[in-house]
Amino acid sequence: MTGVMPEPLHSPADMRRAHVQKLALCHMLEGIADDLPSRVDRLQCLAVAADLLPLLRECHRFEEEVVFPVFARRSGEEDTVARLKLEHLEDQSAAADLSEALLAYGHGRPIENPEAFGYMLRAFFESMRRHIAFERDHVLPEVVDHP
């Protein structure tokens, strides 16, 4: 295991912890991308693949059920919430594809196209980092720091 498996998230203040967990996963994915094509650790690929979807699902569930309703109520930004939810669906779809590729490599299959795999990794973690930055800058101040 990578150590980023989520503990249950309950209050809007837990969003910071969720961001730390997702950023740790992004860091591991970046390490895999940097090690392509020949230095990739197969066991790390298996561990990241095992954690990726459960972590995203828990974080997204928490944000959509706990955080986003508070944000929408305080900010009136229903369109922003709809966009963030759409990004969650896109991230989960990309994470499923990425997990499949990580599992295949982790189980001994060669990386057919290291450049494409690296692009896939980087596109995913860069998108996730942008999403987290937006939430940190715009959502968190409304739901945590707001009286």
Side-chain angles (χ1 to χ4, degrees):
M1 285 296 178
T2 62
V4 297
M5 286 298 294
E7 296 176 28
L9 303 167
H10 303 290
S11 74
D14 287 341
M15 193 168 189
R16 285 188 182 101
R17 181 165 43 103
H19 285 167
V20 168
Q21 292 170 328
K22 288 191 288 187
L23 288 171
L25 192 63
C26 287
H27 180 74
M28 286 181 253
L29 292 169
E30 186 173 21
I32 292 168
D34 289 347
D35 287 344
L36 286 170
S38 59
R39 296 180 313 158
V40 176
D41 180 340
R42 290 182 189 273
L43 292 178
Q44 184 179 26
C45 288
L46 292 173
V48 171
D51 290 352
L52 183 58
L53 279 171
L55 175 67
L56 280 186
R57 285 183 182 130
E58 173 59 18
C59 289
H60 291 169
R61 179 211 55 81
F62 162 70
E63 289 174 3
E64 292 176 13
E65 292 177 7
V66 177
V67 175
F68 291 170
V70 174
F71 175 72
R73 187 173 61 253
R74 291 183 179 171
S75 70
E77 295 283 341
E78 288 84 9
D79 289 346
T80 299
V81 169
R83 180 180 57 80
L84 292 170
K85 286 180 177 181
L86 181 59
E87 288 179 15
H88 285 177
L89 291 173
E90 292 168 351
D91 287 346
Q92 286 187 30
S93 177
D97 293 341
L98 192 54
S99 290
E100 186 178 309
L102 289 165
L103 284 170
Y105 182 70
H107 285 295
R109 263 217 240 124
I111 298 172
E112 299 289 326
N113 186 339
E115 187 174 306
F117 186 50
Y119 179 81
M120 182 182 195
L121 288 161
R122 291 185 193 287
F124 179 81
F125 68 72
E126 288 173 2
S127 173
M128 179 147 324
R129 286 175 175 161
R130 278 191 302 274
H131 184 94
I132 291 167
F134 180 86
E135 289 178 342
R136 184 185 56 235
D137 294 344
H138 299 282
V139 176
L140 268 174
E142 286 292 329
V143 300
V144 176
D145 301 330
H146 195 279

